[in-house]
Amino acid sequence: EQQYLFDVMGVLTKAIENFHKKEKLQYMNDLLSKLYVHDAVTGLYNRMGYMKFGNDFLLEKHRKGQKVTVYFIDLDRLKEINDEFGHEFGDFAIIAVARAMERCSERGAFIARIGGDEYVLLQQTLDAEKEEQFKCDIRRELSDKARQTEFPMPLTISIGSVVTNPTKNDSLEEYVRLADEKMYEEKVAKKANRK
């Protein structure tokens, strides 16, 4: 009888250990999957997440006949921030842009950090007035954050945007390229004004 109980306890212990190992393995796999598509600094989608899910977001909206605005957003003077004040300040600025985008965008927007200081945001197209308000809100959020934290220089961004056409088969990459060009025009104009 004791041997039987001992054997049963042994089987139960082994089953519990195996269950724990499977749970731990599942947790680690979930964590790796999340890290694979999310940016470690901001928690936003990273370039891999953008490539994996961004097009799906666009296609889903287009299937419903909805226009999407594709924004290309660039943090101004990140190299200068890193060089003059250190990478901790650069990371702070990168995170501040991410949080401002999350707070100001429409619910359900798709946001990714695709490079060091570059972000892509996709959301259902707003009317012209709300569109301008959205851009102003992000800039105000950053300005307020810099002032509240006594950041050593202004936190500013350059934004380019294009509206997609649900009846065309243009790729997300093409829309992002056009938005990037518009962002670059704004950045060049800012540099010219600073001189």
Side-chain angles (χ1 to χ4, degrees):
E1 217 174 89
Q2 285 181 338
Q3 182 61 39
Y4 174 74
L5 287 174
F6 182 77
D7 290 345
V8 168
M9 288 299 293
V11 169
L12 285 173
T13 301
K14 192 156 200 84
I16 290 170
E17 286 174 357
N18 285 338
F19 178 75
H20 178 70
K21 284 178 185 175
K22 283 183 181 177
E23 286 289 306
K24 191 171 184 178
L25 182 61
Q26 183 62 47
Y27 170 78
M28 294 306 288
N29 282 334
D30 291 346
L31 185 62
L32 283 172
S33 293
K34 187 173 167 40
L35 290 172
Y36 178 67
V37 295
H38 286 87
D39 175 53
V41 177
T42 63
L44 300 176
Y45 284 113
N46 60 17
R47 180 172 283 281
M48 190 61 69
Y50 155 75
M51 290 165 44
K52 191 170 182 174
F53 302 118
N55 207 49
D56 292 345
F57 179 93
L58 180 66
L59 292 174
E60 179 63 28
K61 295 292 185 188
H62 280 186
R63 270 195 288 276
K64 296 176 182 174
Q66 299 171 339
K67 292 180 179 179
V68 171
T69 302
V70 177
Y71 300 89
F72 195 98
I73 298 173
D74 186 89
L75 171 60
D76 295 331
R77 298 158 50 191
L78 177 61
K79 184 177 181 342
E80 190 178 326
I81 293 169
N82 283 331
D83 290 349
E84 285 191 37
F85 307 107
H87 287 276
E88 311 82 42
F89 284 85
D91 286 350
F92 178 89
I94 287 166
I95 293 166
V97 173
R99 297 296 87 84
M101 292 170 69
E102 288 174 326
R103 281 192 290 275
C104 299
S105 60
E106 294 288 296
R107 185 184 174 113
F110 179 88
I111 310 171
R113 178 179 174 222
I114 62 167
D117 56 358
E118 298 172 334
Y119 307 80
V120 169
L121 186 148
L122 311 175
Q123 67 182 0
Q124 190 171 330
T125 299
L126 308 169
D127 64 44
E129 187 178 321
K130 286 183 179 176
E131 166 82 9
E132 280 311 306
Q133 188 60 52
F134 166 69
K135 290 177 180 178
C136 289
D137 288 347
I138 291 179
R139 288 184 164 113
R140 187 176 57 249
E141 282 269 338
L142 286 172
S143 177
D144 290 349
K145 186 62 144 176
R147 191 176 58 255
Q148 289 164 5
T149 59
E150 297 180 2
F151 199 75
M153 62 189 293
L155 283 176
T156 60
I157 53 174
S158 297
I159 304 175
S161 63
V162 293
V163 176
T164 67
N165 184 340
T167 63
K168 286 189 164 184
N169 285 332
D170 293 336
S171 68
L172 176 58
E173 288 75 25
E174 178 62 17
Y175 287 120
V176 168
R177 187 186 65 73
L178 293 170
D180 183 19
E181 287 175 5
K182 291 188 175 190
M183 179 282 300
Y184 188 71
E185 289 170 12
E186 181 178 300
K187 193 174 272 288
V188 167
K190 280 183 185 177
K191 283 181 182 174
N193 286 339
R194 278 201 299 265
K195 291 177 182 176

